[in-house]
Amino acid sequence: MSSTPHPAAPPVVVVMGVAGTGKTTIGPLVADALGLPYAEGDDFHPAANVAKMSAGVPLDDADREPWLDAIGAWAHDRAGHGGVVSSSALKRIYRDRLRAAAPGVVFLHLTGDRELIEGRMAARKGHFMPTALLDSQFATLQPLEEDEAGVAVDVTGTPEEIAARAVAALRAFDRPVPLF
Ligand SMILES: Nc1ncnc2c1ncn2[C@@H]1O[C@H](COP(=O)(O)OP(=O)(O)OP(=O)(O)O)[C@@H](O)[C@H]1O
Ligand SMILES: [Mg+2]
């Protein structure tokens, strides 16, 4: 992950990670702590994707392009003002597409081991995720690379603990050199 300093403007953060890692839970807490608006990435899917997902058909990369572009447009609009948006962004090409729309985005990768996430998914009301789907999420995941702006934060503990850890990591990322 890159440690390139960012301008002093509030960050535009994309909360990424596999299904069940806590994007929807932690994202709003991080946004609140930073005094920024939160947008739920799932809400940016075009109707065709919603129909596919409702029918249990997995999205392919072409399906994801308009979705990523819509999230990217939101992130672009928030540039200079700051904001937090969720998007699993598992693949580098997805993140490249988001960055193409909004070059300044900073990724917050919520990381956790499979057992922990599987347990949380099992407890989630109203959602059912087959084990195979979680396997495929981990198989697809391409973690942040050195040249990508972002931080990785472990999701052990309570949502409040994770959010505090995330805010601290984002602040440290923003100011890699101590201020005098
Ligand atoms: N720190 C935590 N401790 C306990 N439960 C948690 C924690 N974080 C999230 N959860 C629970 O785990 C489940 C998955 O979290 P959440 O829905 O936020 O994940 P997600 O990354 O948004 O998943 P998806 O990709 O499917 O949208 C939820 O039921 C949530 O309440
Ligand atoms: Mg979610």
Side-chain angles (χ1 to χ4, degrees):
M1 280 159 278
S2 163
S3 57
T4 311
H6 289 274
V12 180
V13 179
V14 177
V15 185
M16 62 170 280
V18 298
T21 199
K23 301 178 293 293
T24 301
T25 305
I26 308 304
L29 297 177
V30 170
D32 276 358
L34 296 175
L36 299 176
Y38 173 75
E40 175 59 47
D42 291 342
D43 295 341
F44 290 83
H45 278 293
N49 286 3
V50 175
K52 246 185 150 172
M53 291 186 289
S54 308
V57 180
L59 300 182
D60 60 26
D61 284 354
D63 296 326
R64 288 191 174 88
E65 288 179 355
W67 173 59
L68 291 166
D69 290 347
I71 294 173
W74 187 90
H76 175 84
D77 285 348
R78 295 307 308 165
H81 307 287
V84 179
V85 61
S86 60
S87 172
S88 47
L90 298 183
K91 290 188 188 177
R92 169 92 197 213
I93 54 164
Y94 305 158
R95 301 191 294 270
D96 286 343
R97 198 164 180 106
L98 291 168
R99 271 188 294 263
V105 291
V106 177
F107 288 88
L108 167 61
H109 183 191
L110 298 179
T111 62
D113 66 42
R114 200 186 177 298
E115 288 68 33
L116 177 71
I117 292 169
E118 193 169 9
R120 286 181 183 168
M121 295 290 279
R124 177 156 69 170
K125 294 185 204 78
H127 283 70
F128 173 70
M129 167 149 300
T131 297
L133 203 45
L134 199 49
D135 284 339
S136 95
Q137 290 271 302
F138 276 97
T140 304
L141 174 65
Q142 296 171 342
L144 291 169
E145 294 181 69
E146 282 296 324
D147 63 330
E148 295 188 85
V151 296
V153 167
D154 182 77
V155 296
T156 49
T158 65
E160 291 70 23
E161 287 167 346
I162 299 160
R165 203 179 290 144
V167 168
L170 288 165
R171 291 209 164 112
F173 177 74
D174 235 14
R175 295 186 195 81
V177 178
L179 297 173
F180 293 97

